[in-house]
Amino acid sequence: MVKLRLKRCGRKQRAIYRIVAIDVRSRREGRDLRKVGFYDPINNQTYSNVPAILYFLEKGARPTGTVSDIFRKADFFKEKISS
């Protein structure tokens, strides 16, 4: 099963997270299937590759709770409905 989850990057005390499609059995910094965006909690910036995210969601990928909260704050699901 594939999940959309956060992968930690950046320096100490300056975390940046990549939003990745990854196998459930992999660890947090494990090998990902594809990078689909990033999230910077310090500057509150989000970038998401919408076609890639929609592709994985259509194939049955499940976003984690935090990733779905990030998508909700970025109005991702409104874009998906209107498309």
Side-chain angles (χ1 to χ4, degrees):
M1 183 174 168
V2 177
K3 282 203 173 212
L4 296 175
R5 106 169 43 148
L6 295 176
K7 186 174 185 179
R8 191 179 195 281
C9 302
R11 302 184 318 217
K12 276 194 297 188
Q13 304 295 321
R14 188 89 178 130
I16 294 176
Y17 296 93
R18 286 189 180 141
I19 302 170
V20 295
I22 193 166
D23 187 33
V24 174
R25 296 167 291 190
S26 297
R27 59 193 182 127
R28 184 181 70 184
E29 278 85 18
R31 186 170 182 183
D32 51 63
L33 300 173
R34 185 165 180 190
K35 297 172 186 75
V36 295
F38 79 88
Y39 171 62
D40 184 0
I42 296 169
N43 297 327
N44 200 19
Q45 293 179 339
T46 304
Y47 169 77
S48 54
N49 184 353
V50 177
I53 293 170
L54 289 177
Y55 170 78
F56 281 108
L57 289 175
E58 288 171 0
K59 296 293 182 183
R62 306 281 302 193
T64 60
T66 307
V67 172
S68 61
D69 288 343
I70 291 169
F71 288 162
R72 198 171 322 124
K73 287 179 186 175
D75 292 332
F76 174 76
F77 294 112
K78 289 182 184 177
E79 292 175 14
K80 181 181 174 187
I81 293 170
S82 64
S83 297

